[in-house]
Amino acid sequence: MAISFAMPERVERERMMAQALAEGIMRPVSRQLDENEHERPVDFIKLIWPVMRDQQARALDRLKAPPDQEKEKKPRSPYLAMMVQIEALSWGDAGQYLCIPSPLLAGAAIEAVGTPEQKERFLRRFAEGDAPRWGAMAMTEPNAGSDTKAIETTAVLDPETHEWILNGEKIFITSGGLALRESDGIVVVWATIDRSAGRAGMRPFVVEAGTPGVTVSKPEIKHGIRASDTVSIKFENCRIPYDNLLGDPEVRREGSREGFRGAMATFDASRPLVAASALGVGRAALEFVKETLHQHGIDIPYDQPYHKLSAIQRDVLEMEAQLKAAYLLTLRATAMLDEGLRNSLEASMAKAKAGKAVTKVTQKAVELLGMMGYSREWLVEKWMRDARINDIYEGTGQINLLIVARRILGYSSSELS
Amino acid sequence: MVSFTPTEEQQMLIETIHRYAEAEVRPIAHEADETGEIPAGVLRAGWEIGLIPAALPEAYGGLGEHEALTGVLAAEELAWGDLAVALKVLAPALLAYPVLIAGTEAQQAELLPLFAGDYVPMTAALAEPGLFFDPRALATTATAQDGGYVLNGVKSNVPLAAEAHKLLIYAREDSGAVGAYIVDAGADGLTIGEREKLMGIRGLPTYPVTLSGVRVDAVRRLGGEAPLPYEAILNRQRVALAALAVGVARAAFEYARDYAKGRVQFGVPIATKQAIAFMLAEMAIEVDAARLMTWEAAWKLDQGQDATREAYLASRYAADTVVFVADSAVQTLGGYGFIREYPVERWLRDGRGFAMFCGLATV
């Protein structure tokens, strides 16, 4: 091994394709979709579905291939490819990107703890057909945000029918409506099979579209990422097959965090990818600021002494440095995923830094461009609103700092809460 | 292929330097700061690790290992021990590397072997006194005269000037471009002023240098007739400075982290309080971010790509980071942070020095 920042050619090609899609398909309708909340990015979905579908098909085929062939066929840097694609698509429009027809976080959970049979059964639908399908993850509840162990949704086993019965309410589910109402998709629902066991009692369950006892509420009205579908889902005596439980049904006590670990493994993969989405929005704002300033005769030098720089040039340099710092932390966390290394610390570092950096960078962009920044004629104000979620979802900045702190200090969650 | 793992050789080098920094540098760092003197034995041991000799071409007794990436890994580890020691050990590179990058064959043959043996103090003079320094607008001049050059001007913050055998003087030429000139200690018209009194990096002696009609032969102009690759030299210095800043920042972070775990207040270690824990988490993130930016810039330099933007952003970011982290470390230690017996206030003073260096090379 040697330290290297060289993107594999294949990854670079995929980045360029995503960037072209972002420019040609997403940007032109970005404003319209922001103004008409809950309208779907139909062109983007139509174009990206076959791409996502074929990718999923290849991934599933690899699972079936004998081990020696599997190694050969495996793309060398799948997470890196995802990172650069997500960054580019989010540069196009973060809200539209979130509408991407794929298993998304549900897929991440199934990948992390599902059996081969479950992967085939739940993910095959994302690998075939002309109609796009979505996956979603339902974790948050009205009384359980960052405190995930406080979830109240229950899963009770019916010993006669051997079915799980789900009861409870989940909120803030990205693409939940697309998954359950507008397609033949799936939602991974976190519920407790033993409330007294706390985190150890938490388990992910797969609920398929069309299951009775599921009610999807009307979508949330949001500050940003308005093109993204965010809903609540109610489970009322919702019965699902026993085998829709992901992972081990046994609750091991004595400090076991079995169920919780599955969720955390999901986050290790999803946090760098959320950071990547944040970076795309940040880059959109930075590029726009630089281009606009350039048109007004202000360029950003990289070789001038501090006293020769104007306040605006200093601000832009600071924005650029912050984004670069966040980008490199994200790149590291993602590269570790591809190498199969444990990356909880690095993933949280990347997510905390990226969430904060893009929030500041986009807010500064609106400030620097004055009335042009504030005007809804341009997209800068939208990017500022879109960026804000990145320091909130998939673990707030504070939760990620807490995780970083525990890791660097060697503290458990009870020692540092 | 993206990777963040150093090679085995680099890893061994880091470990060697770490052992030196921990066993020999840390124990004398406080005293060196108080007295302004670095023990000769510590300096010798640092030199014997062989960073600069290894960079020389094989023909001159080196290994030809001149990678910027290896350089920044080494610099971080050295500065983790102590910044003044690191700078003193590395000071001869201020002459050796430009000769390596831009020297004529004759200049390399004459000068590079000087670095193959024991430590020889060598230096370069770039900065100039005054509030605003711009390396592209040097006031020191090199005027062509009688087939040679005449240097005039005042330099400042020249490390080791009083003991250096040779100095590399940067000056504005008749064309307006910057040239560099190799001047021997004791040259006519060269005056070394009194040692400068600085806030930090006090183990490293620096001096003002006055040049009044110093005559240099044409062959002493670095690179002969060729234009000086000034940007390449500055970029190399920027990433080295960034790495040194990361080293100081990491030292401060680690110390504060360990202190916070041991310091009990209200019946618990203060690290178990979010106010402290979050500060430490931010410090850890910033140290890593600054390091990654430094690595990327160094990697680009090694690829032969233009790394001006990366080197600039990395050195600025690292200079900000070291002050943020050292300041947070002082805060973590509370009252003890302010006491000179504890190293964190020294790291804050040393760290602020990068603002001055940034006047030398970052700009």
Side-chain angles (χ1 to χ4, degrees):
Chain A
M1 274 303 188
I3 295 166
S4 171
F5 294 82
M7 277 291 176
E9 246 177 77
R10 190 185 132 267
V11 172
E12 184 54 27
R13 266 202 313 278
E14 289 186 3
R15 189 193 66 76
M16 283 166 64
M17 278 163 59
Q19 182 72 24
L21 189 70
E23 236 173 286
I25 303 298
M26 301 171 95
R27 277 286 177 92
V29 293
S30 199
R31 172 53 67 190
Q32 180 199 325
L33 290 170
D34 185 68
E35 301 277 331
N36 302 291
E37 195 161 3
H38 306 147
E39 192 182 316
R40 302 287 180 232
V42 282
D43 289 339
F44 169 66
I45 292 170
K46 206 159 89 188
L47 263 159
I48 199 97
W49 166 247
V51 181
M52 301 308 294
R53 179 192 62 198
D54 297 348
Q55 247 177 40
Q56 187 67 55
R58 284 194 298 275
L60 285 176
D61 289 346
R62 272 198 302 278
L63 285 179
K64 283 189 185 164
D68 53 324
Q69 273 181 40
E70 183 195 341
K71 209 168 194 182
E72 248 167 69
K73 280 191 192 166
K74 202 171 185 179
R76 290 183 55 193
S77 315
Y79 282 104
L80 211 53
M82 265 201 269
M83 173 191 159
V84 299
Q85 285 170 323
I86 290 170
E87 194 270 352
L89 294 178
S90 301
W91 176 93
D93 187 314
Q96 291 183 57
Y97 149 66
L98 288 164
C99 291
I100 198 163
S102 92
L104 279 181
L105 294 177
I110 293 168
E111 292 289 344
V113 285
T115 63
E117 181 273 326
Q118 286 174 322
K119 286 178 192 173
E120 177 63 28
R121 184 152 60 94
F122 296 127
L123 299 179
R124 180 54 70 183
R125 72 196 70 201
F126 298 100
E128 58 193 21
D130 293 331
R133 293 186 178 89
W134 286 266
M137 170 120 103
M139 170 83 86
T140 302
E141 295 180 7
N143 293 321
S146 295
D147 183 11
T148 47
K149 71 174 185 305
I151 60 170
E152 292 163 6
T153 297
T154 53
V156 178
L157 189 63
D158 182 337
E160 282 175 27
T161 62
H162 220 51
E163 288 170 321
W164 295 101
I165 307 167
L166 298 177
N167 275 291
E169 188 187 6
K170 294 287 180 181
I171 60 169
F172 299 157
I173 301 148
T174 300
S175 297
L178 289 166
L180 295 186
R181 226 173 15 196
E182 293 172 47
S183 80
D184 184 14
I186 56 169
V187 175
V188 167
V189 182
W190 288 81
T192 175
I193 51 176
D194 182 353
R195 280 205 70 180
S196 67
R199 282 175 167 163
M202 277 173 64
R203 288 295 181 280
F205 297 86
V206 180
V207 176
E208 296 175 280
T211 309
V214 180
T215 323
V216 179
S217 77
K218 71 175 194 306
E220 301 283 353
I221 300 165
K222 302 190 296 294
H223 177 70
I225 52 165
R226 292 182 179 170
S228 173
D229 166 52
T230 312
V231 297
S232 304
I233 303 180
K234 254 198 190 129
F235 299 96
E236 288 161 304
N237 292 322
C238 169
R239 289 174 167 270
I240 54 171
Y242 181 82
D243 289 338
N244 284 24
L245 165 79
L246 297 173
D248 185 354
E250 292 298 312
V251 176
R252 296 190 190 84
R253 285 158 186 278
E254 289 150 35
S256 160
R257 298 163 70 218
E258 200 59 38
F260 193 65
R261 248 188 211 128
M264 292 305 112
T266 310
F267 283 132
D268 290 347
S270 63
R271 282 185 174 138
L273 300 178
V274 170
S277 175
L279 291 168
V281 183
R283 179 166 66 90
L286 178 68
E287 284 179 5
F288 188 82
V289 166
K290 284 171 82 170
E291 180 55 32
T292 307
L293 291 175
H294 173 74
Q295 283 166 8
H296 289 76
I298 301 169
D299 286 307
I300 309 303
Y302 299 100
D303 54 3
Q304 288 297 307
Y306 201 60
H307 67 269
K308 294 226 166 139
L309 299 171
S310 67
I312 286 183
Q313 288 171 324
R314 289 179 191 177
D315 281 342
V316 175
L317 282 167
E318 175 65 13
M319 290 160 75
E320 195 161 343
Q322 289 295 331
L323 274 185
K324 188 174 254 308
Y327 169 81
L328 291 172
L329 287 167
T330 307
L331 186 68
R332 178 177 67 170
T334 308
M336 289 175 78
L337 282 173
D338 279 333
E339 286 182 66
L341 301 172
R342 188 81 200 271
N343 75 336
S344 309
L345 169 66
E346 290 79 6
S348 280
M349 280 183 158
K351 171 65 173 62
K353 181 70 186 180
K356 195 170 162 187
V358 296
T359 298
K360 297 285 171 216
V361 162
T362 53
Q363 287 171 356
K364 187 52 102 175
V366 171
E367 181 199 331
L368 289 181
L369 297 183
M371 284 176 282
M372 199 178 160
Y374 206 67
S375 165
R376 275 176 23 227
E377 253 182 72
W378 305 93
L379 289 168
V380 193
E381 63 83 30
K382 174 186 182 295
W383 293 326
M384 175 178 142
R385 288 183 288 106
D386 285 352
R388 193 62 188 82
I389 191 62
N390 290 292
D391 206 27
I392 300 171
Y393 68 3
E394 214 61 12
T396 59
Q398 287 70 27
I399 283 297
N400 281 293
L401 281 186
L402 196 58
I403 292 166
V404 170
R406 283 177 191 149
R407 296 251 159 202
I408 60 172
L409 290 162
Y411 284 160
S412 66
S413 52
S414 57
E415 285 169 309
L416 178 59
S417 57
Chain B
M1 186 65 194
V2 177
S3 170
F4 298 89
T5 314
T7 63
E8 260 177 57
E9 290 84 4
Q10 287 169 336
Q11 197 54 49
M12 275 164 58
L13 178 68
I14 292 170
E15 281 161 23
T16 304
I17 299 174
H18 189 78
R19 276 196 298 274
Y20 160 73
E22 194 165 36
E24 301 190 51
V25 178
R26 281 286 177 95
I28 59 96
H30 175 69
E31 194 67 11
D33 179 63
E34 295 286 330
T35 63
E37 301 295 332
I38 294 166
V42 173
L43 188 63
R44 205 180 311 119
W47 180 258
E48 280 167 4
I49 293 170
L51 291 174
I52 295 167
L56 303 175
E58 285 176 39
Y60 303 120
L63 302 170
E65 279 174 8
H66 190 223
E67 275 199 347
L69 246 176
T70 306
V72 299
L73 295 171
E76 176 184 332
E77 217 55 40
L78 269 181
W80 179 90
D82 182 63
L83 183 58
V85 171
L87 286 168
K88 195 162 182 180
V89 168
L90 296 174
L94 290 171
L95 183 72
Y97 282 16
V99 170
L100 202 55
I101 294 170
T104 62
E105 240 173 81
Q107 286 167 344
Q108 294 196 346
E110 179 206 340
L111 298 166
L112 292 182
L114 300 176
F115 300 92
D118 292 339
Y119 184 82
V120 187
M122 299 281 190
T123 193
L126 173 64
E128 296 174 350
L131 190 52
F132 299 126
F133 172 68
D134 180 352
R136 273 170 210 77
L138 297 180
T140 302
T141 54
T143 313
Q145 209 177 76
D146 307 329
Y149 302 90
V150 177
L151 305 181
N152 280 294
V154 185
K155 294 290 185 181
S156 68
N157 301 91
V158 184
L160 313 183
E163 49 186 302
H165 297 193
K166 290 181 195 303
L167 301 85
L168 188 67
I169 311 283
Y170 292 90
R172 182 162 46 87
E173 303 184 323
D174 297 334
S175 68
V178 172
Y181 299 84
I182 300 144
V183 174
D184 291 327
D188 284 344
L190 180 79
T191 320
I192 314 292
E194 279 201 25
R195 181 169 172 174
E196 290 160 346
K197 295 187 170 77
L198 302 179
M199 177 195 199
I201 336 169
R202 295 172 64 163
L204 179 80
T206 67
Y207 304 84
V209 171
T210 306
L211 304 126
S212 321
V214 175
R215 283 204 50 89
V216 262
D217 293 339
V219 294
R220 309 302 278 175
R221 183 185 178 278
L222 188 65
E225 304 274 304
L228 182 74
Y230 193 36
E231 282 307 318
I233 293 169
L234 289 181
N235 282 340
R236 192 69 194 237
Q237 290 183 11
R238 285 174 187 139
V239 296
L241 288 172
L244 292 164
V246 172
V248 175
R250 193 184 104 215
F253 158 67
E254 288 177 2
Y255 194 93
R257 175 197 63 196
D258 296 346
Y259 178 89
K261 287 186 78 174
R263 171 71 172 170
V264 173
Q265 289 290 280
F266 307 103
V268 290
I270 59 170
T272 62
K273 303 285 184 191
Q274 286 191 350
I276 302 295
F278 279 19
M279 196 157 63
L280 291 167
E282 300 249 28
M283 291 157 77
I285 291 171
E286 292 307 318
V287 170
D288 278 13
R291 178 186 301 113
L292 293 173
M293 288 174 78
T294 306
W295 284 6
E296 189 200 23
W299 177 81
K300 271 200 122 173
L301 282 179
D302 288 339
Q303 301 301 302
Q305 298 175 20
D306 178 22
T308 303
R309 174 170 168 266
E310 284 74 17
Y312 182 80
L313 292 177
S315 56
R316 280 183 54 118
Y317 199 90
D320 285 346
T321 295
V322 63
V323 173
F324 164 74
V325 172
D327 183 72
S328 302
V330 167
Q331 191 65 22
T332 305
L333 268 74
Y336 294 110
F338 206 69
I339 303 295
R340 293 227 295 277
E341 208 183 307
Y342 291 79
V344 288
E345 68 82 31
R346 185 177 77 240
W347 287 322
L348 179 56
R349 285 186 288 112
D350 284 357
R352 187 70 281 177
F354 287 97
M356 177 189 73
F357 293 138
C358 293
L360 308 187
T362 298
V363 289

